[in-house]
Structures are given as structure tokens and as C-alpha cells.
Amino acid sequence: MTPMNRSSRSYDVAVIGCGLAGLSAARQCVAHGLRTVLLAHTPGSLPYTSGALDLLGVYPTETKRFRSNPWEALSELIDREPTHPYARVGLRGVRAAIHDLEEYLADSPLQYRHRPNENMAIITAAGTVKPSYMLPGSLASNSLAFESRRPTLIVAIEGFPNFSSEQVVDNLRDRWPGLRATRIDLGQLQDKPRRPMANQLADELEKPDFRARLAELLRPSLGQAKFLGFPAILGHDGVAEVCRDLSARLDVEVFEIPLISPSLPGQRLQQLMEHDLRAAGVTWLQGAPVTRLEKHPDGGLQLFRKGKVADTIYRADHVVLATGRFVGGGLEARRDAGVCETLLGVKIEATVSRDDWHMSTFLGGPGHLINRLGLSVDQSLRPLKPDGHPILPGLVAAGGLLEGHDWVREKSGAGISVATGYAAVHAIVSSRNKGGRGADK
């Protein structure tokens, strides 16, 4: 238990980063009763993702082989790649982490669904097919429609950017003869017509009277359609009710198609987890970066967070580093020093020269070697120095920051984040139960 006389800026665990790895770690901290602060510079990557959660969709990556059973593929990966984050966590640990998330999200307003030993395929805004393991309820019928190839109508909205129903249909027509496209103008449903934007449309769709008028507008176009696909704009946290209501009004199964940006399904998941973590007592600090992390003179670690005049200092017995890769700012490619972890300044030891980071073909197999660079960790996810010793006592790492994986090609990003976030906190708990303040005791 945390002593009552500790500073209000003193915590059992500090989580740096609010991507899925950081959020997963914070959830485990709550489950174990640890006083937790989450510090993030940016909103994290979830608002830019599809909301569908991958486990392992393609393996081996050089073969680009789609795997219908992700657990079978994961067992092979763990046997073949001992430095992969999944191998660090182990099959039992990955199963425990994913099962924990499954239960949480199935009971949430987003009503996530999965099949225990099977990946599902969903269609994207580009008219491609993406494998995934866990889907929000608004995407579940997307997968059912594609699998059944039953008559389906894809709806585009006049003036809405980044989505063309015609493109979706053209790219899938050979595999799905019953797929059709339509385009509607929502201006006639609005008192003050304006350029349709995702968040504004989501607001409108949460109003029953707007949905009623939309249903009447769409009814003449349905024909024999059994499924009706929209760009992912069907509400905010009320998306499940929007889908149910439109389905009942039109007697079809309504689903969303994820967009590249903005991604409302990703935003919904981020907002759900943030709300629940705040409600559970996690201190959430966003908008300024952590600039330094070092040992505290009296034990544990101290973090320096950038302020307007001076840095604010936070103290924690343990820290989970979940700052992501290059896009998230956890890694940086420097011309003079190669790839470095940005907070600790750790140089990432690469076995290839800078010239070998790149390939002559875009997204070719087996993948750009730079994608596998990251922090080296041990089985307890403690970041290591080149000599194999932990960098700092009490420090663990999680998510895309870790070495040994290519989540883009593997379709494994969410699974890696969830599994390592879960395992990092369980390593902390194990250390505390043994009487050690630092995770390396």
C-alpha cells in the first residue's frame, strides 16, 4: 500500500504514453490496486487506427501468408523468434492478456466481438480486405457481409472526403458480385446544410429523428440488399444503438467501414479507456512531454515533465515506458547516431548499416529491417544496456517500442501492445511481492 504521507506527485507506477500499450498497462495497475499516473504528450495512436484489434494475421511475414487461426501462428512465431515481444511474454501470458481485454470490451458500450481461434476479415475504405481478431460491434456485420457475399449496398455521402463507395465496389466486385454502391446527399436532411465531417455526422446520427429521415432517404436504394455499409461515422459512444436502430428501420444489417483518418472507431476506444481509467482513480496528464527519467536519490525513479516555467517532478517506484516507435516519438533515426530511444538516449544496436534499412520495393517481403529495431529487453521486459544489465531499476517497457517485431506486416500491433502492457505490470507486481521496489530486484 502507498504510505499516506507521500507527496501528491508520488505514485506506485508511472505509465509514459497513452497508446494501447500504455492504456493496457494502466488497466492492469488499476486491477492490482497500484496508485498510478499516466503521462502523455500526444493522444496516442488509437485515434488513427481502425478500432479493429489484431493479434497475428500474417505469418511468416516473408510469405505474406494470411493465418485463419492466430493462436496457431503465434505458437510458431514464439518457437522461431525468441526476441519477439510475444516470445518474451509467452503463449500463456498472451492468452491471459487477450482474454482480460476480451471480457472488458465485450461488456463495454462498444460491444467488441471475437471468435476464440479465428481471425475475421473486414473490408476497408480502400476496397481491400484486412484480417483482424477482435472487432467493435459496429464492424462485426462488416465481416459477416464479406464472408457470406450476400447482397450488400455501400453508402457514400456527397461531399464527405476520403470515402468512395464506387472504389470499394470496384475493388471487390470480382469476389463479391452482389456488392453495389450508392451516394446520398445529407444536405436535404439538415436545417443548415454544411460540408459533412465525421464528428458532426456522428452527432447528427445519434438523434433518432435524423436517423428516421436518413432511413427514408435510403429505402428506395436498398433493392435486395441484406447488408448496408457506411463509412465509420455512425455515432460516438452511442454507435451500438445507431446501428441497431437503422438495422430495424431498414430490415438490413448495418455496419461501418473503417477510415484511415479520422477514425471514429479508434477514437471511441481511446475515449472509453480514458474515461474508465480516470473513473478508477488514474491520474491522467496529457499535453506536455516527459523530458527526463532517472533514479530518485531516496529510491525509485523520478520523472521530469515539461512545464511553462520549470519542469514538474514526479516520483514513482516503477515506470512503464510505452512511447511507441517513430511516429509516436519513442524512437528517432539520427544521422549521426543511428536509431535512438528518445527519452533515455539509448542507442539501438543495429546489425545492419543505414543503407540496408531500405528496400527497392515498397512493402516488399520480408520487410524493411529498420521496422524490427527497438529497445532490447529481458523476459521481464526490463530495457537492457549493451552489457545485458537493466538500464534503470524499476523500469519496464511495452508496445511498439520493443525490438524484434514488424507489426505492420504481421498484423499484430494491438496484440503486442496489450500483451506487453499486461506482462510489464505483472512483472512489477511480482517484484513488489518479493519486497523489491525496482523491477530488477
Side-chain angles (χ1 to χ4, degrees):
M1 296 294 292
T2 302
M4 294 300 292
N5 62 350
R6 291 182 67 178
S7 161
S8 62
R9 292 177 182 166
S10 188
Y11 298 87
D12 297 322
V13 179
V15 178
I16 306 177
C18 68
L20 188 55
L23 296 175
S24 298
R27 283 192 65 246
Q28 292 308 306
C29 289
V30 168
H32 289 281
L34 300 174
R35 190 172 182 227
T36 305
V37 59
L38 188 148
L39 305 108
H41 185 197
T42 68
S45 60
L46 273 179
Y48 306 100
T49 67
S50 68
L53 302 179
D54 301 341
L55 179 56
L56 186 60
V58 176
Y59 194 78
T61 53
E62 62 269 20
T63 67
K64 298 186 178 181
R65 179 187 170 194
F66 168 74
R67 303 299 293 266
S68 59
N69 187 329
W71 295 107
E72 181 182 80
L74 201 144
S75 295
E76 293 178 22
L77 183 153
I78 288 174
D79 288 341
R80 292 177 55 181
E81 301 185 30
T83 63
H84 194 285
Y86 278 148
R88 298 295 191 196
V89 175
L91 184 60
R92 181 178 297 178
V94 177
R95 282 192 179 276
I98 298 300
H99 178 69
D100 175 77
L101 187 69
E102 288 168 356
E103 290 192 328
Y104 166 63
L105 291 179
D107 292 336
S108 77
L110 302 181
Q111 300 179 357
Y112 270 72
R113 298 290 179 261
H114 76 286
R115 298 172 188 167
N117 296 303
E118 187 178 350
N119 279 317
M120 295 174 280
I122 58 173
I123 61 172
T124 72
T128 58
V129 179
K130 168 184 163 54
S132 197
Y133 180 71
M134 205 182 312
L135 302 176
S138 65
L139 297 186
S141 289
N142 179 322
S143 179
L144 291 174
F146 175 73
E147 289 174 352
S148 69
R149 307 296 204 275
R150 298 183 73 188
T152 298
L153 182 66
I154 305 298
V155 181
I157 296 165
E158 198 66 49
F160 183 76
N162 304 322
F163 185 82
S164 166
S165 55
E166 293 85 358
Q167 178 183 358
V168 174
V169 171
D170 285 347
N171 287 341
L172 291 169
R173 193 185 306 276
D174 290 345
R175 289 189 279 177
W176 197 344
L179 196 62
R180 295 186 295 117
T182 191
R183 184 172 292 271
I184 59 174
D185 184 357
L186 294 182
Q188 57 190 295
L189 305 183
Q190 298 169 317
D191 296 332
K192 296 180 180 179
R194 54 187 174 180
R195 186 183 181 206
M197 303 298 288
N199 281 291
Q200 288 79 10
L201 290 173
D203 290 339
E204 296 280 13
L205 280 157
E206 292 199 335
K207 302 173 183 176
D209 61 329
F210 185 86
R211 295 198 298 271
R213 287 180 283 143
L214 173 62
E216 292 309 309
L217 179 63
L218 282 167
R219 196 179 304 279
S221 302
L222 287 179
Q224 300 301 311
K226 303 301 180 183
F227 291 88
L228 185 62
F230 288 85
I233 55 165
L234 299 182
H236 298 292
D237 56 358
V239 61
E241 175 56 29
V242 173
C243 289
R244 276 195 299 269
D245 186 46
L246 285 174
S247 295
R249 291 178 187 276
L250 294 168
D251 194 27
V252 294
E253 289 294 325
V254 169
F255 64 85
E256 290 188 309
I257 300 172
L259 305 172
I260 297 173
S261 181
S263 171
L264 291 191
Q267 290 177 26
R268 294 171 196 143
L269 181 57
Q270 171 88 17
Q271 290 162 4
L272 169 72
M273 297 184 78
E274 178 179 347
H275 172 272
D276 289 350
L277 289 171
R278 287 181 182 271
V282 172
T283 300
W284 187 290
L285 302 172
Q286 187 174 312
V290 174
T291 58
R292 208 159 86 239
L293 174 64
E294 59 189 35
K295 289 183 181 179
H296 191 281
D298 297 328
L301 297 164
Q302 57 185 358
L303 306 88
F304 296 78
R305 183 171 181 257
K306 188 173 181 61
K308 292 182 178 179
V309 178
D311 286 353
T312 303
I313 302 175
Y314 298 85
R315 182 179 174 185
D317 294 341
H318 308 266
V319 170
V320 179
L321 189 62
T323 47
R325 295 179 60 78
F326 297 99
V327 175
L331 297 178
E332 182 179 67
R334 300 173 182 171
R335 188 166 295 278
D336 59 338
V339 177
C340 293
E341 188 280 327
T342 55
L343 180 57
L344 302 169
V346 177
K347 183 176 180 180
I348 304 301
E349 297 296 324
T351 58
V352 295
S353 71
R354 190 182 183 94
D355 289 341
D356 293 327
W357 290 356
H358 312 288
M359 302 176 65
S360 59
T361 56
F362 182 64
L363 295 181
H368 298 273
L369 294 173
I370 193 172
N371 291 337
R372 292 188 172 271
L373 299 183
L375 270 184
S376 176
V377 295
D378 63 12
Q379 292 300 121
S380 297
L381 301 182
R382 299 174 299 182
L384 303 176
K385 302 174 186 176
D387 64 7
H389 289 91
I391 292 173
L392 283 172
L395 176 66
V396 291
L401 181 64
L402 305 181
E403 70 172 351
H405 65 93
D406 187 348
W407 67 266
V408 174
R409 284 173 178 77
E410 295 168 354
K411 309 300 182 191
S412 62
I416 288 173
S417 293
V418 172
T420 55
Y422 180 98
V425 174
H426 280 252
I428 288 172
V429 171
S430 177
S431 169
R432 292 173 70 87
N433 289 341
K434 292 175 182 177
R437 245 184 143 170
D440 60 322
K441 293 291 184 78

